[in-house]
Amino acid sequence: MKKLLLYIFLTIFTVATLYPILNVISISLRPGDRLLTTSLALIPPDASFQSYVRLFTENPFLRWLWNSTLVAVAVTLTGVALASTAGYAFSRFRFRGRNFGMAMLLTTQMFPATMLLLPLFIMLAKLHLINSYIGIVVVYTATALPFCVWQMKGYYDTIPVSLEEAALIDGCSRWRAFYKIILPLAAPALVITALFSFLTAWSEYIVAAQILQSEQMFTLPLGLKQFQSNMTTEWGLYAAGSVIISIPVIALFLFLTRWLVSGLTLGSVKG
Amino acid sequence: MAQVVLEGVTKIFEGDVTAAKDISFTAQEGEFVVLVGPSGCGKSTILRMIAGLETVTEGRISIGERVVNDVHPKDRDIAMVFQNYALYPHMSVYENMAFGLRMRKFAKGEIDTRVKDVAEILELRDYLRRKPKALSGGQRQRVALGRAIVRHPQVFLFDEPLSNLDAKLRVQMRAEIAKLHQRLGATMIYVTHDQVEAMTMGSRIVVLKDGLLQQVDTPLNLYNHPVNKFVAGFIGSPAMNFFACDVENGAFKFANRNIALPSELQSRLKNKTILGVRPEHFQAEKEAADGWVKIKPLIEVVEPMGSETYLHFNLDGLTGVARLNADVPAEAGKSFTLAFNLNNCHFFDAETEQAL
């Protein structure tokens, strides 16, 4: 009986999770903009890739895809580089302002991004970074970093200091001990950092809408919004775009999960 | 091989915690020096300063002819074995041992020869492809040793390397390290809190307490001639018994009795003196010679160890342990006569606790 309830519960949530995804796929395959059809068929009887074709031929979708990729990759690389080193410093060194710094990183997480929109816009305007990728990469990285630094620091804390000390004695400089010994062991945390940074940049809309103003520079979420005008919405295009947007995320996730294994430091020291 | 010299070495940590104060000693070329003391005595800090993992607040450390205070650990030509092994978990046994040589840009062939030779000595040949997590505690400890040996360093440092092993393995590894020392003839500095390890392994022992050096000497000299009450109590197992007593008119008062002192002792002793008797210096009455001091305490616990028997006794409130032959006819709850020779005893100033 308990099991039955559990299954019902799980089924409801599975449906709730899967239905929107399947629905979007279904809409993307419908010719025209038949959003509100009552048919439950996943693949509509007159299915066509018309929306997908139009997406690439009649719209600068490829351009937006490229823009988004550029921004997300830049944010991911900067995020990983900064979070892995900053987290290491917070974990291993005792310096003035360490606790304050950690607290400040946490504090930034308390404010919603929308609240920071205006000051960010003013700052970027003064720096002439409006409508520039550097501007948006800086903002996205800054948004993703606090969480990433914290979780990198947390992970480094679990790696015994004696491993670096052994490496120092074995002939490594501090930096070499870090990237030869510690960084490989921190792979699971690096993966989280990379995923988090990538996702922050890939699907963000509000900040992008403020900073990027020319259609040529739009990222995918901004591009999608283009299909929605005052009078009509191109649901077919919208859905097809959504499906394509989600593919790289899924691919990246599947690719990175192989490093998401725990217990990498197992056996290094007596537990 | 090189000698290691510490001159007035002091370490003060942040917040004014003094971990080691004015420590001076020399580990000669090829010597096996053991740093021993209770936890918090500063022994690991001293080792870490020699390794370069801690800075030196004051004083000088030299390895060979070179003062190394400001030399990076990688340039000190030392190897260290850590208490928790500190093996690189993402590398195989082979890579763990080869890592230090690779960092020092040795030729591939040379690395291979050295690693395989050492693996042979330490019986790790069959495990070279394994990761540390697939090894037992003893094997991991041997890999940690191997990683140090392949480098042929000038000085080996050991930071309580055996304390994570079970008792049987510890005895085995103790012998292996001692053999290794004979074979390599290298200078070794070994930290432990276990006085048995210190006594059995060290050519010389440095006894520390609260960051202060107490005595540096050979194991037997420490045992026979401790400079103070702490060293006397720390070296030897079971520990030395201490009895506070007053000295008056050439006799000392011990357990409500006046015991006449031999003339050569009279001048040395002060009014307030602590008498130290090692458990093994007690004998049953029948084995005592003339002139020995006899006491008749209540035996509280009898501990038969097989080869010998420990008697925990209580003499009018003074408690102690005696170590006698296995066949001693003592019974718990009854009194039993014990004898000891004053010439085997140690005397300490009650105030300074220094030996008299």
Side-chain angles (χ1 to χ4, degrees), chain A residues 108-166:
Chain A
T108 58
Q109 299 292 287
M110 300 192 315
F111 303 105
T114 35
M115 194 185 132
L116 301 173
L117 220 47
L118 190 62
L120 272 179
F121 185 82
I122 297 170
M123 269 165 66
L124 290 179
K126 284 192 176 156
L127 293 166
H128 302 291
L129 289 176
I130 295 297
N131 208 24
S132 98
Y133 290 136
I134 297 181
I136 199 150
V137 167
V138 167
V139 174
Y140 284 164
T141 313
T143 318
L145 261 185
F147 168 78
C148 294
V149 171
W150 260 93
Q151 72 100 9
M152 287 304 303
K153 184 224 174 247
Y155 199 85
Y156 289 134
D157 284 348
T158 67
I159 301 176
V161 182
S162 55
L163 288 184
E164 285 140 282
E165 294 178 341

Side-chain angles (χ1 to χ4, degrees), chain B residues 237-248:
Chain B
S237 174
M240 186 185 279
N241 301 295
F242 296 109
F243 308 107
C245 36
D246 295 321
V247 176
E248 272 168 26

Side-chain angles (χ1 to χ4, degrees), chain B residues 66-139:
Chain B
R66 189 166 59 137
V67 175
V68 292
N69 281 30
D70 299 317
V71 177
H72 192 277
K74 72 182 162 69
D75 302 318
R76 294 192 181 199
D77 200 10
I78 46 161
M80 183 156 165
V81 179
F82 292 82
Q83 175 175 7
N84 59 11
Y85 323 133
L87 300 179
Y88 311 128
H90 55 309
M91 297 183 189
S92 66
V93 169
Y94 184 96
E95 288 165 333
N96 261 284
M97 295 208 275
F99 186 73
L101 299 174
R102 283 205 184 121
M103 289 301 107
R104 289 183 160 75
K105 308 235 170 349
F106 276 70
K108 253 200 164 129
E110 169 78 6
I111 295 178
D112 197 59
T113 322
R114 282 205 195 182
V115 171
K116 287 191 171 146
D117 284 353
V118 171
E120 197 71 58
I121 298 174
L122 295 173
E123 293 167 31
L124 287 169
R125 252 217 121 117
D126 299 337
Y127 306 102
L128 285 175
R129 298 277 148 237
R130 288 207 195 165
K131 293 270 171 70
K133 69 175 169 207
L135 300 177
S136 69
Q139 287 164 341

Side-chain angles (χ1 to χ4, degrees), chain B residues 33-282:
Chain B
V33 171
V34 177
L35 306 185
V36 70
S39 54
C41 70
K43 55 193 188 299
S44 281
T45 305
I46 294 171
L47 195 78
R48 290 168 59 81
M49 283 193 282
I50 300 173
L53 299 174
E54 300 284 356
T55 53
V56 177
T57 312
E58 251 174 69
R60 233 160 45 147
I61 297 178
S62 352
I63 298 175
E65 298 299 307
R66 189 166 59 137
V67 175
V68 292
N69 281 30
D70 299 317
V71 177
H72 192 277
K74 72 182 162 69
D75 302 318
R76 294 192 181 199
D77 200 10
I78 46 161
M80 183 156 165
V81 179
F82 292 82
Q83 175 175 7
N84 59 11
Y85 323 133
L87 300 179
Y88 311 128
H90 55 309
M91 297 183 189
S92 66
V93 169
Y94 184 96
E95 288 165 333
N96 261 284
M97 295 208 275
F99 186 73
L101 299 174
R102 283 205 184 121
M103 289 301 107
R104 289 183 160 75
K105 308 235 170 349
F106 276 70
K108 253 200 164 129
E110 169 78 6
I111 295 178
D112 197 59
T113 322
R114 282 205 195 182
V115 171
K116 287 191 171 146
D117 284 353
V118 171
E120 197 71 58
I121 298 174
L122 295 173
E123 293 167 31
L124 287 169
R125 252 217 121 117
D126 299 337
Y127 306 102
L128 285 175
R129 298 277 148 237
R130 288 207 195 165
K131 293 270 171 70
K133 69 175 169 207
L135 300 177
S136 69
Q139 287 164 341
R140 284 180 204 172
Q141 189 54 270
R142 284 213 294 276
V143 177
L145 273 180
R147 190 168 65 178
I149 299 169
V150 287
R151 296 239 327 270
H152 300 174
Q154 297 218 43
V155 179
F156 284 88
L157 305 175
F158 297 89
D159 189 4
E160 308 215 23
L162 306 184
S163 54
N164 277 337
L165 302 176
D166 61 53
K168 195 178 157 203
L169 211 51
R170 203 178 311 155
V171 175
Q172 196 185 327
M173 288 301 290
R174 204 160 77 195
E176 276 190 45
I177 293 177
K179 262 195 283 179
L180 209 63
H181 177 242
Q182 284 165 14
R183 184 185 186 126
L184 303 171
T187 312
M188 295 187 173
I189 301 180
Y190 187 106
V191 162
T192 179
H193 63 267
D194 180 350
Q195 59 93 15
V196 177
E197 251 171 54
M199 292 293 279
T200 50
M201 300 176 82
S203 352
R204 267 188 322 143
I205 300 176
V206 178
V207 185
L208 296 151
K209 183 199 172 198
D210 298 335
L212 293 170
L213 193 146
Q214 306 292 312
Q215 190 171 0
V216 186
D217 221 323
T218 60
L220 281 184
N221 273 343
L222 283 183
Y223 178 84
N224 291 325
H225 308 291
V227 295
N228 60 28
K229 186 180 161 215
F230 173 77
V231 176
F234 194 76
I235 301 292
S237 174
M240 186 185 279
N241 301 295
F242 296 109
F243 308 107
C245 36
D246 295 321
V247 176
E248 272 168 26
N249 308 325
F252 74 95
K253 276 192 187 157
F254 171 60
N256 298 326
R257 290 165 54 192
N258 280 316
I259 295 167
L261 282 166
S263 52
E264 81 270 14
L265 278 175
Q266 283 183 18
S267 55
R268 275 162 50 197
L269 300 191
K270 303 215 173 144
N271 286 348
K272 297 275 182 199
T273 293
I274 295 168
L275 168 71
V277 189
R278 292 208 179 274
E280 50 274 34
H281 290 151
F282 283 107

Side-chain angles (χ1 to χ4, degrees), chain A residues 6-271:
Chain A
L6 186 70
Y7 278 122
I8 292 173
F9 181 78
L10 288 176
T11 310
I12 290 172
F13 274 86
T14 311
V15 169
T17 313
L18 287 180
Y19 178 75
I21 299 171
L22 295 177
N23 202 17
V24 166
I25 294 175
S26 174
I27 293 170
S28 75
L29 292 174
R30 289 176 201 156
D33 292 329
R34 279 184 294 159
L35 171 68
L36 299 171
T37 172
T38 48
S39 157
L40 280 177
L42 173 59
I43 300 172
D46 48 355
S48 85
F49 285 104
Q50 189 196 352
S51 297
Y52 289 90
V53 175
R54 280 184 58 212
L55 200 59
F56 286 101
T57 52
E58 296 168 22
N59 295 284
F61 191 78
L62 219 52
R63 174 79 208 179
W64 300 335
L65 189 68
W66 166 249
N67 294 347
S68 262
T69 310
L70 190 76
V71 169
V73 167
V75 170
T76 306
L77 293 180
T78 342
V80 167
L82 293 181
S84 62
T85 42
Y88 183 73
F90 278 120
S91 166
R92 291 297 197 255
F93 301 110
R94 298 286 171 270
F95 49 88
R96 195 183 296 251
R98 175 175 175 273
N99 290 334
F100 180 72
M102 293 295 295
M104 286 312 282
L105 284 179
L106 207 60
T107 313
T108 58
Q109 299 292 287
M110 300 192 315
F111 303 105
T114 35
M115 194 185 132
L116 301 173
L117 220 47
L118 190 62
L120 272 179
F121 185 82
I122 297 170
M123 269 165 66
L124 290 179
K126 284 192 176 156
L127 293 166
H128 302 291
L129 289 176
I130 295 297
N131 208 24
S132 98
Y133 290 136
I134 297 181
I136 199 150
V137 167
V138 167
V139 174
Y140 284 164
T141 313
T143 318
L145 261 185
F147 168 78
C148 294
V149 171
W150 260 93
Q151 72 100 9
M152 287 304 303
K153 184 224 174 247
Y155 199 85
Y156 289 134
D157 284 348
T158 67
I159 301 176
V161 182
S162 55
L163 288 184
E164 285 140 282
E165 294 178 341
L168 290 183
I169 289 174
D170 261 348
C172 289
S173 60
R174 187 97 216 185
W175 174 248
R176 209 160 182 200
F178 169 65
Y179 79 79
K180 279 269 185 195
I181 303 295
I182 302 305
L183 220 45
L185 295 177
L190 287 174
V191 166
I192 302 277
T193 296
L195 267 179
F196 187 81
S197 306
F198 188 87
L199 290 180
T200 302
W202 187 253
S203 53
E204 204 284 337
Y205 174 76
I206 299 170
V207 175
Q210 296 303 310
I211 296 175
L212 302 177
Q213 290 167 345
S214 77
E215 198 182 294
Q216 276 299 300
M217 301 200 64
F218 276 6
T219 53
L220 285 171
L222 289 187
L224 281 195
K225 193 75 169 54
Q226 285 288 95
F227 298 135
Q228 232 177 343
S229 60
N230 286 341
M231 297 299 174
T232 57
T233 300
E234 303 241 34
W235 287 116
L237 288 178
Y238 205 115
S242 307
V243 170
I244 291 177
I245 285 182
S246 57
I247 290 172
V249 178
I250 295 169
L252 188 73
F253 194 82
L254 290 178
F255 173 69
L256 290 179
T257 39
R258 75 171 86 172
W259 284 286
L260 265 184
V261 283
S262 59
L264 266 187
T265 51
L266 220 65
S268 68
V269 300
K270 173 89 174 186

